[in-house]
């Protein structure tokens, strides 16, 4: 059983009717909803305005994969929560970072870069986006054909200031003329990290079947092999031969 | 002084008026022309129908960077020439593979994969292509702004069956709706390899300033640090401490 | 159920008493023996002197992971068998290459490099080797502590002429003073490849528990996500929006 | 002309006679000494106890490559200095991190991991270390034969909790029985980073010719292609075709 915690900033939904109409239970509620349909996954949620952002040590210790959605209040996440999440990832907890989470403190801290990009949202719906599978052999792309389309999304464009991904999975094509590395994987410490671009708050992206498939695959991929102690920095004796 | 050999299959130009009108001196002549304008580069050319494809051991031993364009006659390049070029790359010779050279024997041999992709050329001009810089810090992208456009090119689309590039430099966006890893780097043995997608024979691509800039940068990047013997497989004694 | 085929050159065992005494059923027999103990694995073997090297299309089509051991007769493996195995890997079949298989035609073809290294076997037992885990989070290193030791092995030393691994798993330390990237992973096409250094024919390496653990883990890791058609090179129409 | 700033914590030299005897001008003085002999390099130094650690914005803006040595006082480097250095690296400044600098705030921040390792210093001199060249084609290993030896060093052993290096250059072999990825490269933002393991304060490591060669090569490699503005996060309009 994979224990998932879906973290959401949960602010847009409270102040913007358009967002609340799309996600009446919040973005976290929508994501928890489709993940919870799977028998191998058990889900809880956590949000910014809960005590300790809902991410106590006890919660993190019982989370195999953390999903992160944030946008307008990245700066309100306290440093000690960020450190705690980072340490959990380095110990093996998987992390799936969605959309504007590219600018979250936790993602920037794990990447070491600005995670800047170029962006645009014009009109009511933004750009049509087509997501192409670059790695058809990867667990996260299973069940997806050559590509899938999103009728409207915020455009995120290159250059994307990230470390070279360990594996590039999706490339995004936008009708406005840009491209983006829309799905990328890294390992940091013992933990696996998956960044996935779709999910602007005014678009019904997380209701789309293909997006749900990718996120579900991402959760299964990011589940740790083991949750042992973090890598320490021991003073060691000369190793004894073991035959 | 960087010693460049531009290799071209040189068949389309002989049988197709459209191609000959664009490249009256052959594609190799056009590429040699703009490279030869630079004071740090000296150029020669070689073509398929010359003895040994123009790629004798003596030529390869005096080549720092080999540029490769081929399309309709990949299968006519003899195995021993392919082996000879591969060995030169592993010893340090740089290799710049252009456009349909993705299916050349030498590129497939160095990659170990099929190098398949999807493709399309419709109408007179093909698709408009926009090439985005993903790695603005890399030597090969210097002098290029965020992107540049080609009015018409053959569409090459993902998935592109290559090993994960050591470094991804350009992403191609096509008006028809596809994306492509249009500029990629690898090292094999002591040699550096750069694949660059543009250059369909019926498009005047190699006359375009930005394409010339990228290929020139590619030549300078691919120049070997040193041209020593290949890595051998020696039976060695226990190393002597050297203080 | 993972369907494994263990391929062995099977020549040393026939002509050298020392080898036959260590592996009375052949190296393939020893490997098949410990793999076959696992309920999720079913094993068959194939050897050089069987028709088509025992690797007919039918065998390959029913193999999820192929293990390869060869040494003195690499050159006797016919080209068409090598091509057939390569195509199977590109379609998704996993490949575990052991020890002197670094110089097999199939490994060199998939790597694109010489796969040269430095080597030494002195005395009766060679060098003591210690294998350190570099990636404690990887499926292949599960069940292994910080390191394990082999009392005697052939020394394989750097530089090892391979493409940069997608993931480095083990580093070997030799009492004679060398180091080696003893466990490395790559993807080629849809297939996963694991190279593992131990296994000189005059050492009882494949009877050692830790080596068996790593190879078993390697088989489970290399099992394909799916065995679909290889990546083709289709002429495609403009993609139709799919909402 | 490459403008190098050598930063040193400069504490051991003030309190420990052994260190002061080896490095009477400080570790920074020794490194600045051999670098300054090269006509293409101009050097300044900076230390922890200077105002702003000697790393004002003005200093960083005029530094092409920063060298970092720290050990006992990592925690005394103020956060705002760390942020300033990180931003300079992301804008293109090269960074060469030496030895115990693996635990510096700036290195951990750029890596995103704990950068933990195992370690040992026994006796007067520690372990003999042999550094093997893994990448003989790389600019940083030029002028080095297959390996070089250090008579005594602190042992740093695997697992080393770092992101997979973009390029692995050196592997360390220790007489005590460990191995280490002793030379590694990464890019972060527009900046190049080189970590090099040797340099324990009670060993005369920076007086050794081969170590000086590697650090000098590292400086030349890490020099930025260009020092333009950092990657920003602009709101962009639809790109205009540029033909």
């Amino acid at each position: 059983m994979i224990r998932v915690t879906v973290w959401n900033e949960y602010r847009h939904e409270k102040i913007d009717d358009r967002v609340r109409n799309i996600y009446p239970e919040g973005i976290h509620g929508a994501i928890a909803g489709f993940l919870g349909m799977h028998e191998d996954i058990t889900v809880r949620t956590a949000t910014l305005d809960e005590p300790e952002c809902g991410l106590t040590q006890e919660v993190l210790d019982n989370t195999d994969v953390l999903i992160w959605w944030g946008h307008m209040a990245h700066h309100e996440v306290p440093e000690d929560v960020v450190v705690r999440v980072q340490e959990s990832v380095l110990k093996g907890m998987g992390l799936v970072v969605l959309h504007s989470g590219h600018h979250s403190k936790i993602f920037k801290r794990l990447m070491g870069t600005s995670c800047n990009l170029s962006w645009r949202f014009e009109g009511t719906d933004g750009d049509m986006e087509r997501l192409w599978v670059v790695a058809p052999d990867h667990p996260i792309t299973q069940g997806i054909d050559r590509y899938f389309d999103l009728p409207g999304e915020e455009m995120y464009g290159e250059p994307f200031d990230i470390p070279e991904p360990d594996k590039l999975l999706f490339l995004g094509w936008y009708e406005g003329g840009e491209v983006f590395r829309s799905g990328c994987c890294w390992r940091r410490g013992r933990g696996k990290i998956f960044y996935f671009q779709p999910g602007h708050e005014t678009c019904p992206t997380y209701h789309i079947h293909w997006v749900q498939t990718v996120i579900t695959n991402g959760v299964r991929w990011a589940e740790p092999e083991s949750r042992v102690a973090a890598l320490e920095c021991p003073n060691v004796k000369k190793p004894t031969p073991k035959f």
Side-chain angles (χ1 to χ4, degrees), chain A residues 14-172:
Chain A
K14 294 176 180 168
I15 59 176
D16 187 334
D17 280 349
R18 289 174 306 166
V19 183
R20 189 168 47 242
N21 288 340
I22 297 172
Y23 297 115
E25 313 295 325
I27 287 175
H28 54 297
I31 294 173
F34 68 77
L35 285 176
M37 306 286 283
H38 298 279
E39 294 200 347
D40 59 333
I41 295 175
T42 177
V43 196
R44 74 171 101 192
T45 64
T47 58
L48 178 61
D49 291 328
E50 297 174 40
E52 302 190 50
C53 303
L55 297 174
T56 60
Q57 191 62 52
E58 195 270 339
V59 166
L60 292 174
D61 287 346
N62 289 285
T63 298
D64 295 317
V65 181
L66 178 66
I67 295 182
W68 195 277
W69 198 100
H71 184 215
M72 62 187 285
H74 292 316
H75 59 286
E76 293 186 40
V77 180
E79 277 301 302
D80 62 334
V81 170
V82 177
V83 169
R84 199 186 295 156
V85 174
Q86 181 184 24
E87 287 176 354
S88 287
V89 171
L90 298 182
K91 275 189 276 190
M93 184 181 73
L95 181 67
V96 176
V97 176
L98 296 174
H99 189 60
S100 45
H102 76 95
H103 256 181
S104 62
K105 288 182 180 175
I106 182 60
F107 189 60
K108 291 198 290 184
R109 183 172 292 251
L110 285 161
M111 295 293 105
T113 57
S114 71
C115 302
N116 282 336
L117 45 76
S118 65
W119 59 279
R120 177 181 61 245
F121 195 93
E122 287 179 2
T124 311
D125 297 325
D127 279 54
M128 191 274 253
E129 179 180 5
R130 174 166 293 146
L131 287 110
W132 287 92
V133 172
V134 171
D137 54 301
H138 196 277
I140 293 182
T141 60
Q142 300 310 298
I144 306 291
D145 198 7
R146 296 168 62 225
Y147 65 90
F148 66 93
D149 291 325
L150 303 174
E153 252 301 336
E154 186 173 23
M155 188 288 293
Y156 275 12
E158 295 285 342
F160 185 18
D161 184 21
I162 47 172
E164 196 81 2
D166 294 345
K167 191 76 185 172
L168 178 64
L169 303 185
F170 291 100
L171 288 177

Side-chain angles (χ1 to χ4, degrees), chain A residues 155-241:
Chain A
M155 188 288 293
Y156 275 12
E158 295 285 342
F160 185 18
D161 184 21
I162 47 172
E164 196 81 2
D166 294 345
K167 191 76 185 172
L168 178 64
L169 303 185
F170 291 100
L171 288 177
W173 175 102
Y174 296 92
E175 68 178 316
E178 283 94 349
V179 291
F180 194 62
R181 288 173 288 174
S182 291
C184 301
C185 295
W186 299 265
R187 283 183 181 241
R188 289 296 181 265
R190 293 170 179 272
K192 297 191 234 179
I193 302 167
F194 172 47
Y195 174 77
F196 190 48
Q197 175 273 331
H200 189 64
E201 65 272 9
T202 62
C203 305
T205 298
Y206 298 121
H207 296 313
I208 293 176
H209 174 72
W210 306 114
V211 173
Q212 296 179 356
T213 298
V214 171
I215 293 174
T216 307
N217 287 345
V219 162
R220 290 185 177 129
W221 169 81
E223 188 193 10
E225 300 294 326
S226 59
R227 287 295 291 278
V228 297
L231 296 168
E232 300 294 337
C233 204
N235 184 355
V236 295
K237 298 204 173 302
K238 294 194 182 181
T240 311

